[in-house]
C-alpha cells in the first residue's frame, strides 16, 4: 500500500483536501478506498432505538430532547426479548452489525443498565457485531459493556469544538472526548463522526475531521450524517444539505482516515439512488438499514429498497467471517 495511515494531520492539509475540485477529490478518495477496502462490499448495519425520547439534553437537532415539542413518542426501555427478535431479523436481512440506542444523557448504574448488559450478551450470542450508543460513559461502565461482548460504541462529536456550543449547552465537547477515551481504554472499538447541515462553516467540518483524524487510533467507524430536520426542533427550518457537500465530506474523511469504515448515515431518505452512488464512489462503505424504515426516529430507506440499490450498483453486503476490527456511528 502506498497510502500511509497518519495521525499528524494539520488543519491546513485537510482544508486543502476538502477544497479540491470535486471530481479530483472523489478520484483521490476512490483510489485510497481501493487500497484499504473492497469497493463492492458495503457493511449493512441496523440501528434500533431501545429507549426513545425524554432526553434532558438540548441538542438543537434532536427530536428526542424532552424540551422540544415534536411528534416523537416517549418509549421506555424495550424488553430484552423484543430487542433480540429485532436483532435476529436484522441478521436474517444481511446486517452484520446491530446497534442499540438509548436516549440518555449518560449511563447510570441501575437496573436499566443491567438490562442493556443482557441485551449486549444476547446480540453477541447471535454472532453480530454489537454496538451501543447510550450517552456519556465512565471507564468502569465501558469495561462492563466490553465484558458483556460489546464490539463498538457510538459517540459522535457532532460538530467542531468551536461550533459545539452553538448546538448544545448541556454538555461540553471535552466530555465527548472523555467518553471516547473511556471506550478505548476498555478495549471497545470506536464509532464517531458528526452531522453536517447544522449551520456550521466548511472550516468547522474540517476541524471536526481533524479531531477524529489526529486521535492516537482513528475511529474504526466514522458516520457522516446529513441533518434530519425534525419538526419542533430549533433547526427544523435549516436548508437541506446539498449532495455535493455530503460527497465532499465523505471523500475527505476517506482520505484522512483510510482504514476506517465511513458510514453514510442520516439523510439517505432525501437522496436519490444516483446521489448515494456518488457517496459510495467517494469512499462510503456502510449504511444503516432496517425493517421499520426508520433511523432511530427519522425516516430511512427500507431493506428491500437498499437491496435493490445494491443490485443496481453491483454492490453486496459485507459478510464478516469473524468479529475482527471493523476496518462505528
Amino acid at each position: 500500500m502506498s497510502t500511509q495511515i497518519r495521525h499528524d494531520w494539520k488543519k491546513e492539509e485537510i482544508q486543502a483536501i476538502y477544497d479540491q475540485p470535486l471530481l479530483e477529490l472523489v478520484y483521490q478518495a476512490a483510489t485510497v478506498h481501493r487500497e484499504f477496502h473492497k469497493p463492492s462490499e458495503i457493511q449493512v448495519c441496523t440501528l434500533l432505538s431501545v429507549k426513545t425520547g425524554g432526553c434532558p439534553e438540548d441538542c438543537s437537532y434532536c427530536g428526542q430532547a424532552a424540551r422540544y415539542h415534536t411528534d416523537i413518542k416517549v418509549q421506555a426501555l424495550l424488553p430484552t426479548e423484543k430487542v433480540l427478535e429485532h436483532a435476529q431479523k436484522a441478521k436474517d436481512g444481511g446486517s452484520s452489525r446491530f446497534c442499540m440506542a438509548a436516549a440518555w444523557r449518560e449511563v447510570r448504574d441501575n437496573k436499566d443498565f443491567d438490562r442493556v448488559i443482557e441485551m449486549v450478551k444476547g446480540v453477541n450470542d447471535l454472532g453480530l457485531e454489537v454496538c451501543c450508543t447510550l450517552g456519556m460513559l465512565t471507564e468502569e461502565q465501558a469495561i462492563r459493556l466490553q465484558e458483556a461482548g460489546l464490539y463498538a460504541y457510538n459517540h459522535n462529536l457532532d460538530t467542531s469544538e468551536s461550533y459545539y456550543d452553538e448546538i448544545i449547552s448541556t454538555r461540553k465537547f471535552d466530555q465527548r472526548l472523555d467518553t471516547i477515551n473511556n471506550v478505548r481504554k476498555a478495549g471497545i472499538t470506536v464509532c464517531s463522526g458528526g452531522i453536517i447541515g447544522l449551520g456550521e462553516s466548511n472550516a468547522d467540518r474540517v476541524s471536526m475531521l481533524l479531531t477524529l483524524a489526529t486521535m492516537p487510533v482513528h475511529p474504526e467507524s466514522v458516520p457522516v450524517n446529513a441533518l434530519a430536520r425534525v419538526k419542533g426542533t430549533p433547526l427544523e427550518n435549516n436548508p437541506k444539505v446539498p449532495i455535493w457537500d455530503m460527497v465532499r465530506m465523505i471523500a475527505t474523511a476517506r482520505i484522512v482516515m483510510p482504514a476506517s469504515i465511513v458510514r453514510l448515515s442520516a439523510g439517505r431518505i432525501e437522496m436519490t439512488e444516483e446521489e448515494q452512488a456518488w457517496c459510495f464512489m467517494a469512499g462510503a462503505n456502510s449504511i444503516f438499514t432496517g425493517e421499520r424504515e426508520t433511523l432511530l426516529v427519522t425516516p430511512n430507506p427500507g431493506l428491500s429498497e437498499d437491496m435493490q440499490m445494491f443490485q443496481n450498483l453491483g454492490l453486496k453486503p459485507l459478510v464478516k467471517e469473524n468479529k475482527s476490527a471493523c476496518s462505528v456511528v
Side-chain angles (χ1 to χ4, degrees):
M1 293 184 185
S2 59
T3 300
Q4 299 298 312
I5 296 177
R6 294 176 49 192
H7 304 270
D8 61 348
W9 291 98
K10 305 300 181 188
K11 185 176 181 180
E12 296 75 19
E13 291 179 287
I14 301 179
Q15 189 72 61
I17 293 169
Y18 184 92
D19 288 338
Q20 289 183 98
L22 185 71
L23 296 185
E24 177 61 26
L25 173 60
V26 171
Y27 175 76
Q28 287 185 17
T31 302
V32 170
H33 186 61
R34 280 157 175 74
E35 287 186 39
F36 289 84
H37 308 274
K38 293 181 180 178
S40 63
E41 293 185 344
I42 305 293
Q43 186 182 36
V44 178
C45 310
T46 298
L47 177 63
L48 177 68
S49 180
V50 297
K51 185 270 178 185
T52 306
C55 182
E57 301 264 45
D58 68 351
C59 307
S60 300
Y61 55 81
C62 185
Q64 299 197 66
R67 67 191 67 203
Y68 305 139
H69 300 290
T70 67
D71 295 330
I72 294 166
K73 295 179 180 178
V74 175
Q75 167 196 282
L77 192 64
L78 290 175
T80 302
E81 302 74 28
K82 192 72 174 175
V83 172
L84 296 182
E85 286 176 17
H86 283 291
Q88 184 64 57
K89 288 180 182 177
K91 182 179 180 180
D92 294 343
S95 289
S96 60
R97 175 178 290 201
F98 188 77
C99 188
M100 296 174 282
W104 293 331
R105 182 175 187 272
E106 70 272 308
V107 171
R108 298 185 184 279
D109 295 307
N110 56 22
K111 291 182 179 179
D112 280 350
F113 185 41
D114 294 339
R115 287 172 58 194
V116 170
I117 293 292
E118 292 305 312
M119 294 174 192
V120 170
K121 290 178 180 177
V123 175
N124 184 57
D125 287 344
L126 293 176
L128 290 162
E129 289 182 359
V130 198
C131 179
C132 281
T133 178
L134 312 169
M136 291 185 288
L137 199 66
T138 66
E139 186 177 353
E140 292 74 21
Q141 291 163 341
I143 290 170
R144 279 195 70 191
L145 287 165
Q146 189 276 334
E147 290 173 345
L150 191 72
Y151 178 80
Y153 195 82
N154 168 259
H155 204 63
N156 289 333
L157 299 181
D158 288 347
T159 188
S160 70
E161 183 173 8
S162 60
Y163 193 66
Y164 189 83
D165 289 345
E166 299 294 321
I167 301 300
I168 304 160
S169 71
T170 51
R171 192 191 313 191
K172 296 300 181 185
F173 189 82
D174 284 348
Q175 291 178 297
R176 291 195 177 270
L177 297 179
D178 289 342
T179 290
I180 291 171
N181 289 334
N182 289 337
V183 168
R184 274 274 174 241
K185 285 186 281 187
I188 300 169
T189 67
V190 171
C191 175
S192 186
I195 308 168
I196 65 173
L198 303 174
E200 76 287 343
S201 65
N202 287 338
D204 287 315
R205 296 174 184 179
V206 167
S207 291
M208 183 185 73
L209 289 177
L210 177 67
T211 300
L212 296 168
T214 53
M215 289 179 174
V217 180
H218 293 160
E220 286 78 2
S221 173
V222 181
V224 179
N225 298 276
L227 173 68
R229 296 161 293 168
V230 179
K231 186 177 180 182
T233 63
L235 301 184
E236 65 173 306
N237 294 318
N238 277 28
K240 178 181 180 290
V241 174
I243 184 58
W244 301 126
D245 286 16
M246 282 292 286
V247 170
R248 195 172 286 279
M249 192 71 176
I250 287 167
T252 306
R254 168 54 63 221
I255 291 169
V256 300
M257 291 173 281
S260 301
I261 280 190
V262 177
R263 207 177 301 288
L264 176 57
S265 298
R268 284 202 304 124
I269 194 67
E270 294 191 87
M271 295 181 190
T272 65
E273 190 172 287
E274 294 83 356
E275 289 172 339
Q276 292 180 71
W278 271 99
C279 293
F280 297 134
M281 178 61 72
N285 58 339
S286 179
I287 60 170
F288 281 112
T289 192
E291 65 195 82
R292 289 179 162 185
E293 301 189 356
T294 58
L295 185 61
L296 287 183
V297 293
T298 56
N300 194 62
L303 180 60
S304 59
E305 189 178 344
D306 285 333
M307 292 304 106
Q308 182 62 55
M309 175 178 67
F310 279 16
Q311 184 175 337
N312 294 344
L313 299 179
L315 301 173
K316 59 185 178 182
L318 171 66
V319 177
K320 288 186 172 287
E321 295 180 1
N322 55 58
K323 288 179 281 185
S324 59
C326 160
S327 64
V328 261
V329 188

